[in-house]
Amino acid sequence: MKNKKMFLVLGVFIILLITGFLVFFMKSETSIISEEEIMEIVQTQYEGSTVQSVQQQAGIYIIVIDHQLGEYELTIDAETREITSLRLINLHEEEKGHAEEPQIDHEEPVPSMLSEQEAIEIALREVEGQVENVQLEVEDGIVVYEIEIEVDDDNEATIMINAYTGQILSVTWD
């Protein structure tokens, strides 16, 4: 009888120990972004940029990119995949000894996130109506504005807009 009780306690202990290891292992395998996903986010958000370096530090990635106008440092949260900061490191200079004024491509501005009001204006140009809700989210590694517009009593449109480029990614009607 005493041996049965000891085996039972030992069995329960082993099951709890295994469960603990499984929970710990599953928790450590949470969806932390890979370097390949980092590259995809950078290429999506900052077309034409080249990645110079990628460093991972305590749940964030620090990425240095070479963009048309200069070098920038991005910080991306490794779990949420959200770009949390963008900082200019070095502005590119025109060739030395060139007498003309530097030419700046005004069609390719320094990447920065749209304001909520700018996103609403883009959405209202696509679908006329009353804005019901605006949310800033991360969808597939891309920061987007999700804007709900009520067109009439029966119709509502949800518009997804890239928060950095202003590109309309989708329009869904309910």
Side-chain angles (χ1 to χ4, degrees), residues 57-72:
Q57 298 178 352
I60 63 168
Y61 278 93
I62 299 172
I63 301 98
V64 176
I65 63 170
D66 185 17
H67 189 59
Q68 184 177 9
L69 298 175
E71 291 178 324
Y72 295 88

Side-chain angles (χ1 to χ4, degrees), residues 127-132 148-158 171-174:
V127 175
E128 292 182 21
Q130 180 69 33
V131 175
E132 291 292 313
E148 295 175 4
I149 298 177
E150 186 173 321
V151 178
D152 54 38
D153 289 339
D154 295 328
N155 293 316
E156 181 177 281
T158 301
V171 178
T172 307
W173 291 90
D174 294 325

Side-chain angles (χ1 to χ4, degrees), residues 3 10 17 19 21-22 28 30 32 38 40 42 51 57 60 68 71 80 89 91 104 117 123 141 157 167 169:
N3 283 341
L10 185 60
L17 187 63
T19 304
F21 278 120
L22 289 174
S28 68
T30 55
I32 293 183
I38 289 287
E40 187 177 315
V42 170
V51 176
Q57 298 178 352
I60 63 168
Q68 184 177 9
E71 291 178 324
T80 65
I89 297 172
L91 194 59
I104 298 175
Q117 186 59 42
Q167 177 184 11
L169 302 173

Side-chain angles (χ1 to χ4, degrees), residues 18-151:
I18 291 171
T19 304
F21 278 120
L22 289 174
V23 168
F24 175 77
F25 179 72
M26 291 173 80
K27 197 167 194 169
S28 68
E29 288 290 313
T30 55
S31 176
I32 293 183
I33 194 167
S34 68
E35 282 194 37
E36 292 80 28
E37 290 174 292
I38 289 287
M39 301 298 241
E40 187 177 315
I41 290 170
V42 170
Q43 292 304 318
T44 301
Q45 297 290 333
Y46 305 100
E47 274 185 48
S49 298
T50 56
V51 176
Q52 294 182 329
S53 68
V54 177
Q55 296 177 340
Q56 184 181 14
Q57 298 178 352
I60 63 168
Y61 278 93
I62 299 172
I63 301 98
V64 176
I65 63 170
D66 185 17
H67 189 59
Q68 184 177 9
L69 298 175
E71 291 178 324
Y72 295 88
E73 179 182 271
L74 296 163
T75 306
I76 298 179
D77 186 292
E79 288 186 31
T80 65
R81 293 159 171 72
E82 182 176 332
I83 297 172
T84 56
S85 72
L86 171 68
R87 181 176 68 89
L88 175 66
I89 297 172
N90 185 25
L91 194 59
H92 289 313
E93 295 181 26
E94 293 294 316
E95 294 178 27
K96 302 283 185 201
H98 202 277
E100 294 179 22
E101 287 289 314
Q103 297 294 315
I104 298 175
D105 182 0
H106 294 286
E107 293 182 30
E108 182 79 33
V110 176
S112 62
M113 197 161 82
L114 297 173
S115 69
E116 185 174 298
Q117 186 59 42
E118 290 171 317
I120 289 171
E121 289 171 9
I122 292 169
L124 288 173
R125 283 194 297 260
E126 183 72 18
V127 175
E128 292 182 21
Q130 180 69 33
V131 175
E132 291 292 313
N133 190 19
V134 179
Q135 293 181 341
L136 187 62
E137 299 179 348
V138 177
E139 294 285 330
D140 298 324
I142 300 172
V143 181
V144 297
Y145 281 103
E146 181 178 304
I147 302 173
E148 295 175 4
I149 298 177
E150 186 173 321
V151 178

